[in-house]
Amino acid sequence: AVVRTLNLPVGEFPLVLAGSVLEQQVTLRQRILTRLDQTEATPGTVSIVSEPVRGAVALARLAAST
């Protein structure tokens, strides 16, 4: 439902998880990825960065390369 409500892409997309909590908590990251796999939105490339601004830069780089 969230995928459709937010008009997220169906299929694979790049995902950047940013912040120290997501960087340090392997269980939380895995739960997020598992939940996404159960939806129509499945991340293809997953990057983990400690600082949110680096996450924005990583997403921009991925977008520029596709």
Side-chain angles (χ1 to χ4, degrees):
V2 172
V3 172
R4 286 185 292 276
T5 301
L6 297 177
N7 293 319
L8 294 175
V10 174
E12 290 190 0
F13 63 94
L15 175 65
V16 177
L17 299 174
S20 61
V21 171
L22 292 172
E23 182 181 36
Q24 299 297 321
Q25 297 297 321
V26 176
T27 304
L28 177 58
R29 279 198 319 262
Q30 191 56 48
R31 289 183 72 186
I32 291 169
L33 296 174
T34 298
R35 185 68 175 124
L36 283 171
D37 282 341
Q38 296 170 352
T39 68
E40 297 168 348
T42 304
T45 303
V46 179
S47 302
I48 302 164
V49 295
S50 58
E51 297 179 28
V53 72
R54 289 187 182 173
V57 170
L59 279 175
R61 286 182 178 159
L62 285 171
S65 68
T66 58

